[in-house]
Amino acid sequence: MRAVSSRGGRVPLFYHSALIRILPGACTDSGRLRLSREVSRERGHTGGDTDCVQRCLPVIVGRVPMLYSLVRPVLGPLFTTYWRPRVTGLENIPTTGSFLLASNHLANVDSFLIPVVSPRMVRFISKDVYWKNGGVIGRLQKWFMSSVGTVPLDREALSSGRGALEAALQVLQEGNGFGIYPEGSRSKDGLLHKGQSGAAWLALQSGCPVIPLGLVGTQNLFRAGRLLPTRYRVDMRFGEPIDFSDLPTDLSTGARRRLITDRIMTEIQALSGQEWAPGAAPRSGGTPANGDGALA
């Protein structure tokens, strides 16, 4: 059996598909209602609990979808056989508890490849229209999104950074893995762009480990004019959890988030090998230059 390489040893081909142990996290009704009440108060709604859940809570995370558990052992081997990705660092993903996976973003397919390869479920957020479309295409979209554990979010909440981050935080608070692209959107020029502060906010609010991920070559898997995906060998490099313990504790919240964001982006760049977009490179790699926490 061929293997996918991983730091510290060889990982069997089906390690991250049929033979892995999926560790689902279940959300509780009390947790959903608590968050719905908080969002309700903020938005000025005064309805009952059921009304709050329906109108104010943008996402019900729930248990790991059964479809995910059934489909993943099939998609994993197909993916690894066709593309033979070089995957390193899977041992850096915690076996239990929540974790935040911060990755560069080169192609739309990234959000499909990451959950297939990860030894634990990694959830992403997507607009809920994919669950509402009719016809054959609509059913396929719903099947696909459910199979990779995507969390549906309404357009209003998705367009609001606050709404999307609240949904992501709920995933983490329930002990699950969540994937985020700190750049905020897909890189269309292949360069690594400046990180936004959402990943840092989630890291501070949840206290969970942040695992950097560098993707290489995923933009070459689907090309315009081709019906089938290109057989291009990609690299997926999972880094060690990022250490923020040396950051000063007396910084303002904004300064602390900026330093954490810079460190996350520095780790992603080291793994992906991408060139920085103009003005995107952190000035100090997320390390304070002096006692007051100012950047060099």
Side-chain angles (χ1 to χ4, degrees):
M1 180 184 294
R2 284 183 296 182
V4 178
S5 62
S6 176
R7 188 189 314 161
R10 304 286 289 179
V11 177
L13 178 64
F14 299 120
Y15 167 79
H16 48 274
S17 54
L19 301 181
I20 66 160
R21 179 175 55 148
I22 297 177
L23 302 172
C27 74
T28 63
D29 291 337
S30 61
R32 290 197 295 262
L33 291 175
R34 183 179 64 254
L35 181 56
S36 71
R37 292 190 189 103
E38 292 174 358
V39 179
S40 176
R41 284 195 297 268
E42 183 173 316
R43 296 184 183 178
H45 295 311
T46 58
D49 288 342
T50 301
D51 182 60
C52 289
V53 171
Q54 293 176 344
R55 293 167 51 187
C56 306
L57 184 59
V59 57
I60 300 299
V61 178
R63 295 179 180 273
V64 173
M66 181 178 295
L67 186 59
Y68 177 93
S69 302
L70 294 175
V71 172
R72 192 171 182 276
V74 177
L75 296 180
L78 287 176
F79 164 54
T80 54
T81 300
Y82 189 80
W83 280 312
R84 296 189 301 118
R86 289 179 287 258
V87 183
T88 59
L90 286 177
E91 71 277 7
N92 292 318
I93 296 180
T95 57
T96 60
S98 61
F99 64 95
L100 183 64
L101 193 62
S103 174
N104 60 327
H105 193 17
L106 298 172
N108 293 328
V109 74
D110 295 343
S111 297
F112 164 69
L113 301 181
I114 294 172
V116 168
V117 167
S118 172
R120 285 188 56 200
M121 188 174 190
V122 180
R123 310 194 76 168
F124 287 88
I125 286 175
S126 182
K127 54 188 177 183
D128 61 0
V129 67
Y130 293 116
W131 280 259
K132 298 178 179 178
N133 292 332
V136 176
I137 298 299
R139 287 194 292 271
L140 286 174
Q141 288 176 336
K142 182 178 180 180
W143 171 84
F144 173 78
M145 291 296 181
S146 298
S147 70
V148 296
T150 305
V151 178
L153 202 65
D154 63 46
R155 287 180 180 272
E156 180 183 353
L158 189 60
S159 61
S160 145
R162 178 70 177 272
L165 288 176
E166 285 174 346
L169 182 60
Q170 185 185 357
V171 172
L172 294 171
Q173 288 176 336
E174 290 164 1
N176 299 305
F178 184 81
I180 189 170
Y181 303 115
E183 294 170 272
S185 61
R186 176 171 57 91
S187 173
K188 297 181 180 180
D189 54 15
L191 301 177
L192 189 63
H193 293 260
K194 186 174 182 178
Q196 307 302 313
S197 62
W201 185 88
L202 287 172
L204 289 171
Q205 292 293 318
S206 67
C208 71
V210 179
I211 312 297
L213 170 60
L215 301 176
V216 181
T218 59
Q219 73 273 26
N220 298 315
L221 297 182
F222 290 88
R223 296 178 179 173
R226 291 180 61 98
L227 180 62
L228 296 176
T230 304
R231 296 198 69 180
Y232 186 93
R233 196 170 191 183
V234 302
D235 287 88
M236 305 180 71
R237 303 163 182 167
F238 295 80
E240 297 180 358
I242 304 175
D243 183 16
F244 304 114
S245 62
D246 63 320
L247 298 182
T249 58
D250 58 348
L251 295 176
S252 67
T253 301
R256 191 170 179 80
R257 282 204 297 259
R258 186 68 253 167
L259 287 172
I260 291 175
T261 300
D262 287 347
R263 185 161 298 183
I264 290 173
M265 297 308 299
T266 298
E267 294 293 332
I268 291 176
Q269 192 280 330
L271 292 166
S272 68
Q274 288 171 276
E275 294 184 13
W276 292 103
R283 289 173 288 175
S284 66
T287 301
N290 52 55
D292 61 7
L295 294 176

